[in-house]
């Protein structure tokens, strides 16, 4: 989920400890991970806002069915096999030869090993009353709308800070820029002869796959592109107006707005300035009504962003319900394959896939405990399991993904950041949750507000902004060349040595430096 790498489920960001924050910490570094899902499930069953069809006394799980053929013909085959086994197909993913189906127990065993089927995996462990309800306009990857709208999108569980007025942006200064004129501590990253030409960033689209983005925030009004924005909160693309905005009934809903501000908030003298002010942002809400980032949501978001021309896709979360997905578990292996296909598709379409490394302080290349999974259970403790390095976080540990660790204001690795030689790509400002507003990263928050958070979520957003700058400088480059440029620029500024920014275990290629 979101990375604060917060509550053990999805997005991860670490709320500043000067004030108590809410359950958004799922991807943040902090205490209780989440509100009791049992209560949410009860509300769902008795007719709450969760959009599931109630079945005749049955319970359903969601499944991803992958064909061997990763194309439209494969998706059609997977759909046919799913229906033959009694499943209800609610979304096809012709780009990767997969479908999302809902079914009662025993479904996977009926479909696995059928001719042409590569994998089948349950994407959740807690059943729901039935498939998602039908929605007009949902399911079309080519959709896009432009209409006026308004949203509050308030998440009042996180303490906010005063308008920073674009001052003391240590996180931007750490990317290699000098302080601005007149004592303004906020550097102008895009100044100088090597910066992108005027208007070039406006031609670059980056996608923020997260909890939703408040596009009514003054810093983001001009940045979010409604034609390229959607919700994938149940695995189906929903481009209805405002579907991409935060759901203030779900914890962590402000996380995506904070991430989007780091990427591309306007440089206008108020609020904060993003790494790439002027970039266009595709806001893609993944956070579902039960507070989860299920694999089908990620697949949908990756495909949507790729099909709408994103040059970078930011993923500051991890896939629910498993903190780590292991290849010897057939469900988890199928989820890894599905998200992997979606990430590969996005890269082939020209997008650099950027992901947070996580806030668990673990070596991703070594055996480690997982005491959070599955995190969508409705009762009882999580499994306590010990996993090996073959078990991966999704999407951050997939091949070809730019995986980002966090550093503090002093450039040293943050205590919470995951790491691992050969497992991480770059380091970037993530901040210190114990350092107050001066030690964390201040960015936008729903409702025309600002919040100071820390986590690898924030670090990944800086890299996504830097990819946007690289794409503006080199519009004809593919995803591989753009990622290589960031790695080479970081390495050139980082001397080798233990605990220095050339230490690959914590920094990958080095600390992010804005490309020129």
């Amino acid at each position: 989920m979101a990375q604060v790498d917060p509550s053990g489920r999805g997005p991860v960001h670490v709320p500043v400890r000067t004030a108590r924050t809410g359950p958004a910490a799922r991807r943040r570094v902090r205490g209780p991970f989440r509100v009791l899902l049992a209560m949410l499930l009860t509300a769902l069953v008795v007719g709450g806002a969760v959009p599931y069809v109630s079945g005749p006394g049955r319970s359903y799980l969601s499944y991803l069915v992958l064909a061997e053929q990763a194309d439209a013909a494969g998706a059609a085959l997977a759909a046919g096999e799913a229906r033959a086994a009694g499943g209800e197909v609610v979304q096809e993913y012709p780009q990767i030869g997969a479908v999302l189906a809902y079914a009662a127990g025993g479904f996977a065993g009926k479909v696995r090993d059928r001719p042409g089927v590569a994998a089948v995996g349950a994407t959740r462990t807690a059943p729901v009353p039935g498939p998602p309800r039908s929605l007009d306009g949902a399911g079309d990857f080519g959709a896009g709308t432009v209409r006026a709208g308004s949203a509050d999108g308030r998440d009042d569980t996180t303490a906010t800070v005063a308008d920073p007025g674009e001052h003391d942006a240590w996180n931007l200064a750490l990317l290699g820029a000098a302080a601005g004129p007149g004592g303004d501590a906020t550097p102008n990253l895009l100044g100088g002869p090597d910066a992108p030409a005027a208007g070039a960033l406006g031609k670059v689209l980056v996608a923020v796959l997260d909890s939703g983005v408040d596009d009514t925030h003054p810093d983001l009004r001009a940045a979010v592109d409604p034609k390229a924005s959607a919700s994938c909160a149940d695995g189906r693309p929903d481009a209805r107006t405002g579907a991409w905005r935060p759901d203030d009934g779900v914890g962590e809903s402000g996380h995506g707005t904070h991430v989007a501000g780091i990427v591309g908030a306007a440089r206008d003298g108020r609020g904060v300035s993003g790494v790439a002010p002027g970039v266009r942002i595709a806001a893609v809400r993944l956070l579902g009504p039960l507070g989860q980032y299920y694999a089908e949501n990620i697949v949908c978001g990756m495909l949507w962003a790729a099909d709408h021309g994103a040059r970078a896709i930011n993923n500051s979360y991890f896939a629910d319900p498993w903190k780590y997905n292991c290849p010897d578990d057939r469900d988890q292996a199928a989820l890894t394959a599905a998200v992997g296909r979606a990430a590969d598709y996005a890269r082939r379409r020209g997008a650099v896939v950027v992901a947070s490394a996580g806030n668990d302080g673990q070596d991703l290349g070594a055996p480690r405990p997982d005491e959070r999974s599955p995190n969508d259970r409705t009762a009882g403790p999580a499994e306590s399991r010990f996993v090996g390095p073959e078990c991966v976080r999704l999407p951050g540990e997939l091949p070809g993904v730019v995986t980002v660790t966090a550093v503090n204001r002093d450039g040293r690795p943050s205590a919470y950041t995951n790491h691992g030689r050969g497992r991480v790509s770059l380091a970037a400002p993530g901040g210190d949750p114990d350092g107050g507003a001066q030690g964390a990263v201040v960015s936008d928050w729903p409702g025309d507000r600002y919040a100071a958070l820390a986590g690898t979520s924030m670090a990944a957003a800086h890299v996504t902004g830097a990819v946007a700058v690289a794409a503006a400088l080199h519009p004809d480059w593919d995803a591989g060349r753009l990622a290589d440029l960031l790695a080479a620029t970081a390495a050139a500024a980082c001397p080798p040595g233990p605990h220095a920014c050339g230490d690959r275990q914590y920094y990958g290629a080095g600390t992010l430096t804005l490309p020129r």
Side-chain angles (χ1 to χ4, degrees), residues 260-411:
I262 295 171
V263 173
R267 184 178 174 88
D268 55 9
R270 60 156 290 172
V272 298
S273 175
V275 175
V279 72
R280 292 163 48 232
I281 294 175
V284 184
R285 182 163 71 92
L286 300 190
L287 187 63
L290 291 182
Q292 301 287 332
Y293 290 74
Y294 285 121
E296 63 265 29
N297 304 11
I298 301 170
V299 168
C300 170
M302 291 262 197
L303 300 181
W304 173 274
D307 285 349
H308 284 75
R311 301 306 315 277
I313 301 176
N314 191 88
N315 303 272
S316 291
Y317 60 86
F318 65 86
D320 298 306
W322 303 99
K323 181 79 171 180
Y324 298 103
N325 292 266
C326 299
D328 60 356
D329 181 290
R330 299 186 79 176
D331 288 317
Q332 295 169 35
L335 306 189
T336 301
V339 177
R341 285 189 185 186
D344 287 342
Y345 177 83
R347 285 197 300 274
R348 293 196 305 270
R349 300 275 294 187
V352 178
V353 180
V354 180
S356 52
N359 301 341
D360 302 289
Q362 294 180 329
D363 183 347
L364 298 175
R368 55 203 180 276
D370 174 12
E371 298 178 349
R372 298 183 178 186
S373 303
N375 58 31
D376 66 344
R377 64 196 180 281
T378 58
E383 295 181 13
S384 180
R385 59 178 188 160
F386 204 72
V387 301
E390 73 279 2
C391 301
V392 298
R393 284 173 49 96
L394 297 177
E397 288 191 83
L398 290 171
V401 171
V402 176
T403 306
V404 188
T405 63
V407 296
N408 294 335
R409 186 168 186 152
D410 60 5

Side-chain angles (χ1 to χ4, degrees), residues 157-217:
T157 62
T158 295
T160 55
V161 299
D163 183 339
E166 293 189 352
H167 286 275
D168 194 25
W170 66 269
N171 53 308
L172 300 186
L174 203 60
L175 303 190
D184 180 0
T186 296
N188 182 0
L189 292 176
L190 301 183
D194 297 327
L201 273 170
K203 299 177 182 178
V204 177
L205 179 74
V206 300
V208 173
L209 276 55
D210 213 291
S211 62
V213 177
D214 179 9
D215 57 341
T216 70
H217 195 291

Side-chain angles (χ1 to χ4, degrees), residues 24 99 250 344 396 458 488 498:
V99 301
V250 180
D344 287 342
M458 290 66 248

